[in-house]
Amino acid sequence: MMSNYEEWITLSPLFKSTYKKLKAEWYKGVDDTFSISQIRMMQHLSRHSPLKSTDLAELLLLTAGAVTLMGDKLYDRGLIDRYRGERDRRVVYLAITELGKQYISSFRANDEQLIKIITDRIPEEDLRELRRIVTLLNESLEGDYHCDGSNVND
């Protein structure tokens, strides 16, 4: 019987492999010139447009500089608009364009197709259990602890 440590060691490559396979499968159905971060940026803007670039950076867990660089590329392709705030010209707002919305629709259709592939292969009960376990894992990684077990706030 493996120890918890040994179990985690065997899970790590499985997580990586699953992520790579999901990503490869997802990219089969979309324009592969987009990064995952660019797609996430456009998805956020399609739901909450316009957004301040600083707020978007926070939502995406990216630096303001990274959002600016991604925004430049998406703007050049006509997928987002940007404009300065009327009260404070230092504030930059980003908004999805109609063309950007069309791409988001194709991404959404691709998401639905990938989910269908997965749900056709994995029973609903197993998906619920997977969600429970991933949620538990996610919650266990939240908090202010270092790898050595000490609290960041101590």
Side-chain angles (χ1 to χ4, degrees):
M1 187 166 165
M2 285 196 274
S3 69
N4 278 349
Y5 176 78
E6 292 168 325
E7 289 286 356
W8 279 108
I9 293 301
T10 62
L11 280 173
S12 180
L14 282 173
F15 285 135
K16 290 176 184 174
S17 173
T18 301
Y19 175 75
K20 282 183 177 181
K21 288 177 183 177
L22 280 170
K23 187 175 170 183
E25 192 65 37
W26 192 85
Y27 269 118
K28 286 180 185 176
V30 298
D31 178 345
D32 66 355
T33 61
F34 290 100
S35 70
I36 295 293
S37 293
Q38 287 174 321
I39 292 166
R40 288 183 56 231
M41 181 179 191
M42 290 173 55
Q43 287 171 330
H44 276 291
L45 289 172
S46 74
R47 289 189 298 267
H48 310 287
S49 221
L51 276 175
K52 286 195 274 186
S53 61
T54 53
D55 292 342
L56 189 56
E58 191 174 310
L59 282 168
L60 296 172
L61 304 174
L62 297 170
T63 65
V67 167
T68 298
L69 288 173
M70 283 191 321
D72 288 347
K73 291 176 183 176
L74 295 174
Y75 177 81
D76 290 344
R77 292 176 74 169
L79 302 170
I80 67 169
D81 278 329
R82 60 180 168 213
Y83 55 92
R84 300 224 174 250
E86 289 182 19
R87 285 191 219 169
D88 186 347
R89 303 285 299 152
R90 296 172 298 177
V91 176
V92 176
Y93 288 91
L94 302 173
I96 194 92
T97 64
E98 285 305 314
L99 180 60
K101 288 177 185 178
Q102 290 173 16
Y103 273 92
I104 290 298
S105 291
S106 71
F107 297 154
R108 196 169 289 126
N110 195 52
D111 287 348
E112 290 170 7
Q113 182 62 32
L114 182 56
I115 289 167
K116 183 179 180 338
I117 290 169
I118 293 169
T119 57
D120 286 350
R121 296 177 184 173
I122 300 176
E124 187 177 335
E125 182 179 320
D126 289 342
L127 286 172
R128 281 195 305 271
E129 183 66 6
L130 178 60
R131 181 177 57 236
R132 185 191 70 76
I133 291 168
V134 171
T135 300
L136 183 63
L137 176 61
N138 191 43
E139 289 170 354
S140 73
L141 294 172
E142 291 176 356
D144 298 327
Y145 294 93
H146 292 294
C147 288
D148 67 3
S150 64
N151 191 310
V152 172
N153 298 318
D154 289 342

